Amino acid sequence: MEPITLTTERLVLRPFAPSDVPDVHAACQDPDIPRYTNVPDPYRIEDARLFVEETCPEGWRNDTMYTFGVFSGETGQLVGAMCLVRLAQLRTAERQAELGYWTAKEHRGRGCTAEAARETIRWAFEDLGVERLEWYAEAGNEGSRAVALKAGFRMEGTMRAKIIHQGTRRDAWIGSLLPSDLGRPSETPYLPWPERG
């Protein structure tokens, strides 16, 4: 897919550019980002360059990962990153993807990541035909969970030993979001288990 740009009231979601490398590097120096994501630790400038100039463009080219840099519409400052991953399932009957994100420390608690997530979700449902969007985070990552809830995800439970982080298996929280949760149609009918009503 050709990379696209999305906008919200306060934000611009666009593909990363080489000029963003220093800002990505600086944001990923915050210990919470490598603690709860799979970025290298320590995070070097070369890691940022590889992510911005190779990994992200390759994901768009190969339809494996659509990554947006999230920027302030007013100042252009980097707010974070938002991506759709596991896109191979979009070409199957499952029509699923996973939403992932990180937020620069100075922008946390302002609702920007939830705002960016809602726009990415809209695009995923309307333009990509996603019928089930999943979110995972290591159990205990309250910030990521708060964003997921604000974006409309429903928590489904805890998966044991789902995430391997720094050589240790850790439990993960999982949530999902269906088009019907937002009053949107879905191509494949959904028959919920009767006890869920």
Side-chain angles (χ1 to χ4, degrees), residues 64-163:
T64 55
M65 178 175 73
Y66 300 149
T67 304
F68 297 99
V70 180
F71 299 88
S72 166
E74 185 178 330
T75 66
Q77 188 176 25
L78 175 67
V79 172
M82 181 78 46
C83 66
L84 291 173
V85 298
R86 293 192 299 129
L87 297 178
Q89 290 182 322
L90 281 180
R91 295 181 288 279
T92 66
E94 285 78 18
R95 309 253 346 127
Q96 296 181 52
E98 177 186 341
L99 183 71
Y101 42 82
W102 57 259
T103 309
K105 185 175 186 174
E106 60 273 16
H107 293 284
R108 293 181 194 148
R110 299 179 182 179
C112 292
T113 306
E115 183 177 323
R118 285 190 290 270
E119 178 59 15
T120 305
I121 290 163
R122 182 206 60 76
W123 177 65
F125 286 161
E126 288 183 6
D127 297 353
L128 301 179
V130 171
E131 294 188 354
R132 177 181 164 90
L133 195 56
E134 294 183 340
W135 160 88
Y136 297 96
E138 184 178 323
N141 188 343
E142 296 287 352
S144 183
R145 179 184 160 112
V147 168
L149 287 169
K150 287 178 187 172
F153 281 85
R154 295 186 184 185
M155 297 299 113
E156 294 184 334
T158 302
M159 297 182 293
R160 296 183 308 143
K162 171 69 175 172
I163 295 172

Side-chain angles (χ1 to χ4, degrees), residues 8-102:
T8 70
E9 184 178 332
R10 298 183 294 166
L11 305 168
V12 175
L13 286 70
R14 62 164 174 79
F16 282 109
S19 59
D20 299 318
V21 167
D23 292 335
V24 169
H25 176 255
C28 291
Q29 299 311 299
D30 170 34
D32 281 345
I33 293 179
R35 169 63 187 89
Y36 287 115
T37 69
N38 59 1
V39 304
D41 186 14
Y43 196 79
R44 303 165 301 136
I45 192 76
E46 179 58 24
D47 297 316
R49 189 206 62 75
L50 182 68
F51 175 71
V52 167
E53 297 181 8
E54 296 181 31
T55 303
C56 293
E58 184 177 307
W60 284 97
R61 264 193 314 275
N62 299 336
D63 295 318
T64 55
M65 178 175 73
Y66 300 149
T67 304
F68 297 99
V70 180
F71 299 88
S72 166
E74 185 178 330
T75 66
Q77 188 176 25
L78 175 67
V79 172
M82 181 78 46
C83 66
L84 291 173
V85 298
R86 293 192 299 129
L87 297 178
Q89 290 182 322
L90 281 180
R91 295 181 288 279
T92 66
E94 285 78 18
R95 309 253 346 127
Q96 296 181 52
E98 177 186 341
L99 183 71
Y101 42 82
W102 57 259

